[in-house]
Each structure stands twice: as C-alpha cells, then as structure tokens.
Amino acid sequence: MDLNKLADALIPDEDLEPIEAYEEKYPARDLPKGAEVTRLAPSPTGFMHLGNLYVALANERIAHGSGGVLFLRIEDTDSKRKVEGAVDVIRSSLRYFGVQFDEGADIGGAYGPYYQQQRAKIYRAYAKELIRRGRAYPCFCTEEELAAVREKQTENKLLPGYYGEFAKCRNLTEEEIYCNLAAGKPYVIRFRSEGDVNQKSVFHDAIKGEITVTENNQDVVILKSDGIPTYHFAHVVDDHLMRTTLVIRGEEWLASLPIHIELFGALGFRLPRYGHNCSIQKIDEAEGGRRKLSKRKDPEASLVFYREEGYHPLAVRTYLMTLLNSNFEEWRMKYPDKPLEEFKFSIGKMGKSGALFDLDKLNDISKEILSSLSAEEMYDFLCEWARGYAPEELRTCLADRAYLLRVLTLCMGIGSKKRRKDFITARQAAETIAYFFRAPQNLSFRADGETVKEVLGRFMASYDPTDDNAAWFDKMKKTADALGFASDMKAYKAAPDAYRGNVSDVAEIVRVALTGQANTPDLCTIMSVLGEEECRRRAAAAVASL
Ligand code: GLU
C-alpha cells in the first residue's frame, strides 16, 4: 500500500508543516544539568480540586527547586467539558495559592501555544507521520459495531478493547479503505500497536517506585473523527515538543501508561519520567473509613472553599507540604522562620498511597500563620478577602483602618508576652471581632437576670475610662466583694460554697454584656477601644434585654 498517498487521503490538510519543522521550532531546552521541566495540564472544567493544587505545588517545587521550568497547558480538546471562564478560575486560584508559572496559557513562551485547541495542526502532522510509517490507520467502525465487540469480549471474559482479532479495520485492504472514503464514511485514526500483553517489564515510577507494566496491545484512537486528538496522543506530542522531563499526574492515568510508552517509542521520542500521584483522601466514619475527597460530597474538595472562607494562602501551602513530603514537618519545626522554598522537596518522599486530608490540622497551621502576621498584614489580608467574599455589612466595618489596627493589635496579642491564636480564617476572624463594630445580639449569660443586673449596675457605676489596668481590675474586685462574690481566688478555692462565685464570674457578665462572647482578649483594653459611651450603651442594652 502506498502509505504516503494514504496519509494524504486521510489527512489532506495542505498547511501542515513537516514534523522536522516542529522539532526545530521547539528545540531541546537550554537548562542546567538536573533541571526539571514540569507542567500542569488541567482541563478547563471550571472546577479546581484541592488535588489540582496539591499536584501543582509538587510540580512547582520540583521545577523551581532544580532551576527548571513550570508551565501551564490547557487541555481543552473535550469541548463537552469546557466551561466559560474556566481558565481564569485555574489561573487565579493557582496564583492566589502562590503557584507561579514560567510559561503557559495566557503567559506565553517559546513552546506554545499552550491551549491544545490551538495545536490541532501539530497533532495532525504527527498523526500523518505515523500513517506514513505504517503505525496508524483509519478505522470506520461505528458505535454499534464497537458496542457489539465489547459485548462479545465481556461474554467471553476477554480483555476489552480494540486489538488483535477485534481490530477489524487494522487489516483493511487499500481498496476497502478508498471505497469507505469515497462513500464518505466517518473515520477515526488509530494507532497500530505492536505490543504483546504477555510481555511485562519493571518500570520506575518517580512516586510509586518500581512497578510492573504490561505491554500495550490496544490500537487506541489518536485522532477522533472531528480531527481532534485524544488525551493519549496530545499528551505524547505535547510533552515531547514542550520538552517536559517529568510528568506528574493522577494515578488514574497509570492504566494508560503502556499506551503512552508505546506511542513515545513509535514516534521516536524520548520517554519523560512519570510520577503517578495518589488521590487526597479523608476519613468518613459513616462510610466506614477512608475515601477519596469528593467534589460532590465535600465542600473542602474545592479550592473555592479556601478562598471563600479566607484561608491564608501560606497556611494552605504549608499544610499541603506536610501532606506532600513526609519530612517537611520536621524541617519546619527546626526552621519555623525559613520560607517554604528553602525546604528540599523530594519527589521520592511523596506518598505512594492516598494522602489523608485533615481540616483540623490545616486549622492549627492557619492559626499559627495568622498569629505570626503584623496587625497591618492581617488588616490587608482581611480587606483582600472581604473585597471578594464578605457580606456588605462586614466590608463597611473594615473601612476604618486606624480603628481596625487597634482592634487587631489587641485581638492578636501584639505587643504582649504571648501572641493570641484566635484567628483561623479571614471569615472567622471578621466574625470574631464583629462586636467591635456592632452591639452583640442574643446575649447568653450563665448567671440569672437579677445577678446580671446587679453586676452591671455596680461595675458600670464605678467604671472610669481613665483608669489604668490595675485600677480597672480593682473596681472589678470591689464589685465582686460588694455582691458576695470572692475577689480573692485563694479564699474562693478554700470555701467555694461561701460565695455566689468569684471575680472571674463577675468579669464574665461584663464581658458577655459588652462583647457577646465568654472568651475575649483583655476586657479592660476592649472597653477602651470601644469607648466609654459605647460601653455604657451596651451595658444598658444588656440590662434592658433581660
Ligand atoms: N488533562 C488531564 C487531567 O486533567 C491531565 C493529565 C496529565 O497531567 O497529563 O487529568
């Protein structure tokens, strides 16, 4: 059969460049020895999973830790899954979490275009080359024919797929092919596999270690009937021409690895290294243990969740690093102030089986990170979050910068011996300090109404905003003594039944009345931030509400 003629008949495009031109246009990268070229290749579905960030961070650390390159390729060949604005979602969420690409979609670079839709000609040129080499052929099978083959295979418990005797179009004669073409039958282009499933070999996966791979024998589709490549083919062509050295991708692709190995070989390309990454899991008692973090069931599976809640990007990054590399935590404990970039990330230390996601642990890290910010940094962080995600009334609260800085200084314990760790996220922080902006509602006192009235009446009568901390506390103690509470803790502990309670119970009543919360930073300072007038108004409102 004249394969050149066949290639022209199947892929008649006149504007295709010879593949040598592409090899020249995208030459080997000039990088130092050991530099890795990694990539993120998401499909623009509009949904960014925590797992996407997890892989992105690994890729980023590996590329930049080795003096290499990280690029972003948008895998938009499946128009059914494509969502308007999805690329913005990908780029903005990764940028927010600190993943910097060196080249890629919307950034540009010498190895683009980085949208697969814009690379159609390139795939067609390489598919044509495979036809010329006798390693690809047209397949005219209809959906019904393929379904019948599948059914037969299932019935006989045979390996499913298009291979060997089931690959009907593999051995079509020249006449049959041209006859089908003349009849206008739609066709796909399939790869002609030369593999044998009885051949197995050991493969080194950069994450999973030594694994056994079975040779591919499937004549997979490389170009669909609309001329658009399948993932298999686009992956091989792109990662070759973009000179990727390490492909990190989800372990769901492990089953297709034999196809990719054979395709790389058939095209004469050098195989990149692969690392198949495990999924992020969570404990679900109701479902009896570990399961995959699910887009459908778990709000925390989506990156949007972390932005809406206002998790600090560094907290999420730090937490993911603890999941990514088992020795990261130890390093961080040793060097709490060093930037994450100084940690020596190792792909070999990534988990071989599922990484377990734990929101409590993320929250602990978040508390630590937020407590290390200055009041100004916390203010900026709150404002940035509020611009995108806070309800209107919270946003207006943030307008008075000077006032908010006083509030934050107090609530974060800045300047005191020990920093407070009350804040977890921007949303929770804004809600925690909301009492500085509006009087608390629905007060809930542990004491009875009469006691509340007595305490507020007496304490507020003695309250003087010019008092210092010691004088303020002295008045609190005097209120306690006057009303039968113990002002002295020792005395109280010796005979608790002799008192109505102690001075902290008295302070709690004032605290709840003024802030709505039973636990707050130093109440005396809170009162001075709120101002005398506001304190008296709130105390009166609390009494009136009883
Ligand atoms: N578009 C593929 C996915 O989203 C990319 C897999 C890969 O990284 O090669 O699963």
Side-chain angles (χ1 to χ4, degrees):
M1 196 179 314
D2 181 343
L3 293 175
N4 282 330
K5 187 178 139 205
L6 179 64
D8 285 339
L10 295 173
I11 304 183
D13 318 32
E14 272 162 14
D15 54 349
L16 297 186
E17 305 210 29
I19 59 166
E20 293 73 25
Y22 293 118
E23 298 297 327
E24 221 169 276
K25 183 170 175 197
Y26 306 113
R29 291 172 183 266
D30 186 16
L31 290 171
K33 200 165 170 287
E36 300 277 12
V37 180
T38 66
R39 86 298 192 271
L40 206 69
S43 301
T45 60
F47 184 83
M48 280 299 273
H49 195 282
L50 184 65
N52 290 120
L53 179 60
Y54 179 79
V55 174
L57 282 178
N59 275 312
E60 193 276 336
R61 281 296 77 227
I62 291 164
H64 296 152
S66 65
V69 172
L70 170 68
F71 66 85
L72 173 66
R73 179 173 71 230
I74 302 297
E75 306 219 319
D76 55 357
T77 54
D78 187 351
S79 47
K80 281 197 284 307
R81 294 179 68 200
K82 213 154 72 185
V83 168
E84 209 46 52
V87 176
D88 284 342
V89 173
I90 294 171
R91 296 217 343 120
S92 77
S93 50
L94 292 173
R95 195 181 321 118
Y96 177 76
F97 291 108
V99 178
Q100 298 280 358
F101 292 98
D102 305 298
E103 50 188 71
D106 298 349
I107 308 169
Y111 291 79
Y114 296 90
Y115 285 86
Q116 288 186 329
Q117 281 283 5
Q118 296 170 20
R119 302 173 64 78
K121 265 198 229 162
I122 305 179
Y123 307 122
R124 293 171 71 74
Y126 280 91
K128 204 162 172 177
E129 179 63 18
L130 281 181
I131 300 168
R132 284 195 201 104
R133 294 186 195 167
R135 293 302 306 270
Y137 63 89
C139 168
F140 299 92
C141 287
T142 61
E143 277 303 322
E144 293 72 32
E145 284 171 304
L146 294 174
V149 169
R150 249 191 321 270
E151 206 171 296
K152 195 163 151 200
Q153 288 166 334
T154 324
E155 231 167 64
N156 298 310
K157 298 201 168 47
L158 291 169
L159 205 68
Y162 204 85
Y163 62 93
E165 60 180 294
F166 301 106
K168 212 184 98 197
C169 294
R170 186 174 233 253
N171 301 312
L172 291 182
T173 62
E174 196 165 5
E175 205 185 327
E176 285 168 321
I177 292 176
Y178 286 107
C179 196
N180 283 336
L181 290 179
K185 279 200 186 174
Y187 59 92
V188 299
I189 305 291
R190 285 189 186 269
F191 177 55
R192 186 187 297 276
S193 169
E194 291 177 353
D196 172 0
V197 279
N198 295 311
Q199 298 294 327
K200 296 186 191 308
S201 58
V202 174
F203 183 87
H204 184 81
D205 186 278
I207 296 174
K208 300 216 175 279
E210 310 268 276
I211 53 171
T212 304
V213 289
T214 305
E215 269 188 18
N216 170 57
N217 70 342
Q218 301 277 340
D219 285 0
V220 291
V221 174
I222 56 174
L223 288 189
K224 295 182 255 186
S225 55
D226 54 3
I228 298 294
T230 53
Y231 166 75
H232 304 307
F233 195 55
H235 151 54
V236 171
V237 171
D238 287 348
D239 282 315
H240 165 67
L241 290 178
M242 295 176 174
R243 309 291 167 179
T244 308
T245 61
L246 175 61
V247 172
I248 301 182
R249 61 182 179 186
E251 62 189 349
E252 68 274 17
W253 293 110
L254 200 51
S256 314
L257 180 62
I259 300 171
H260 305 149
I261 295 176
E262 197 187 0
L263 274 172
F264 267 97
L267 284 159
F269 299 161
R270 186 177 165 177
L271 193 68
R273 285 194 300 136
Y274 283 93
H276 289 90
N277 182 44
C278 56
S279 55
I280 300 185
Q281 306 187 330
K282 73 180 271 184
I283 300 275
D284 186 338
E285 300 298 354
E287 291 196 12
R290 280 168 94 125
R291 65 162 172 80
K292 252 185 176 176
L293 199 60
S294 142
K295 168 177 169 178
R296 215 164 26 85
K297 294 186 200 154
D298 309 309
E300 72 272 27
S302 164
L303 284 187
V304 170
F305 168 83
Y306 302 91
R307 295 192 70 181
E308 281 178 356
E309 289 306 303
Y311 276 93
H312 195 281
L314 183 59
V316 177
R317 259 174 47 210
T318 306
Y319 174 61
L320 286 181
M321 287 295 281
T322 68
L323 286 185
L324 277 164
N325 258 197
S326 45
N327 56 334
F328 173 75
E329 256 184 295
E330 203 183 311
W331 176 86
R332 193 164 164 266
M333 237 130 79
K334 214 159 143 195
Y335 308 106
D337 300 322
K338 282 199 179 180
L340 298 191
E341 291 66 32
E342 287 187 26
F343 170 70
K344 212 167 158 16
F345 187 89
S346 153
I347 186 166
K349 292 208 167 66
M350 281 173 72
K352 293 186 186 1
S353 51
L356 195 60
F357 179 78
D358 176 359
L359 196 61
D360 291 337
K361 180 128 187 226
L362 168 62
N363 287 344
D364 282 345
I365 292 180
S366 300
K367 279 185 195 170
E368 236 179 82
I369 303 262
L370 291 188
S371 76
S372 71
L373 300 184
S374 66
E376 289 78 6
E377 285 166 335
M378 184 68 197
Y379 175 77
D380 290 343
F381 174 59
L382 277 178
C383 289
E384 198 206 317
W385 167 78
R387 265 196 293 278
Y389 303 101
E392 174 67 31
E393 91 216 61
L394 255 179
R395 265 203 311 269
T396 42
C397 290
L398 300 178
D400 187 345
R401 184 168 190 269
Y403 181 66
L404 206 75
L405 287 179
R406 283 180 73 198
V407 169
L408 291 173
T409 302
L410 164 64
C411 292
M412 295 168 78
I414 294 171
S416 64
K417 269 192 232 94
K418 210 161 162 256
R419 280 292 195 95
R420 296 182 66 90
K421 293 188 179 172
D422 298 359
F423 298 160
I424 303 172
T425 63
R427 180 184 301 283
Q428 171 267 352
E431 280 163 4
T432 306
I433 59 173
Y435 63 80
F436 282 99
F437 305 96
R438 49 178 143 85
Q441 307 290 319
N442 307 321
L443 304 177
S444 143
F445 294 99
R446 278 194 301 140
D448 58 73
E450 222 22 68
T451 310
V452 171
K453 252 187 229 165
E454 280 177 297
V455 165
L456 288 176
R458 203 165 252 282
F459 180 72
M460 290 312 287
S462 66
Y463 174 61
D464 177 346
T466 61
D467 285 344
D468 64 8
N469 224 307
W472 179 91
F473 191 52
D474 214 44
K475 285 182 177 163
M476 193 62 82
K477 285 210 274 202
K478 285 212 171 84
T479 305
D481 285 333
L483 298 175
F485 288 80
S487 62
D488 178 65
M489 286 311 281
K490 247 201 216 137
Y492 177 71
K493 275 191 190 130
D497 293 340
Y499 301 95
R500 293 170 79 183
N502 63 55
V503 67
S504 73
D505 298 316
V506 174
E508 182 183 309
I509 290 171
V510 181
R511 195 184 302 276
V512 171
L514 301 186
T515 71
Q517 302 188 14
N519 282 308
T520 67
D522 175 51
L523 183 56
C524 171
T525 318
I526 289 178
M527 291 181 73
S528 86
V529 173
L530 284 174
E532 180 183 9
E533 208 181 303
E534 181 65 14
C535 289
R536 294 203 184 282
R537 199 175 319 145
R538 288 188 185 188
V543 170
S545 77
L546 293 168

